[in-house]
Amino acid sequence: MTSSWNKIEKEYLQERGKPMPSKNVARLKSIFTKILGEYEISYDIYLNLSLELSTGKATPDLCFFKPEVSDWLEDEIRVKNAPLGVIEIVSPKQSTQDLVDKLDLYFGAGVLSCWIVIPTFKMINIFHAKHDYKTFMSGELLDEKLGICLNLEEVFK
């Protein structure tokens, strides 16, 4: 069983460029989807969308795009246009440096806002440039670029 699981985990890592998500990571994705639902007028929010940006490939945990009408006859396997914002959640076997390294990829492609969520410490860092960020650990989180405000007590419940 262990060798089969390691093979699955390795394949996931190769495809997505990150470790398999844990229970807490999956829970946070679910919570973000629910809480961010109130912003569905402003954004289309996607989970685990494969991006092929001008600066490289990435698969953020969540990403925000301007709303658009879906073309159900024409699907995209890798989306080439940059999202407005991304959320990356640190998995237990992943270093924060892995995600910091992705900032150049995202901002170089035109992403306006990148959240790095560290579940272990109930912390969210919102970057608007590689060296321009705010850290939120309690109270209200505000992303001025995306116009999103969240109560961290709802996120990390």
Side-chain angles (χ1 to χ4, degrees), residues 114-118 123-127 133-136 141:
C114 181
W115 302 10
I116 296 180
V117 181
I118 306 172
M123 177 189 303
I124 301 176
N125 297 291
I126 297 182
F127 289 80
Y133 68 94
K134 290 183 182 175
T135 300
F136 298 88
L141 169 150

Side-chain angles (χ1 to χ4, degrees), residues 39-58:
Y39 294 95
E40 68 185 355
I41 293 171
S42 303
Y43 302 106
D44 285 341
I45 301 170
Y46 297 92
L47 290 124
N48 305 314
L49 184 64
S50 295
L51 304 174
E52 189 169 327
L53 307 173
S54 59
T55 52
K57 294 179 181 179

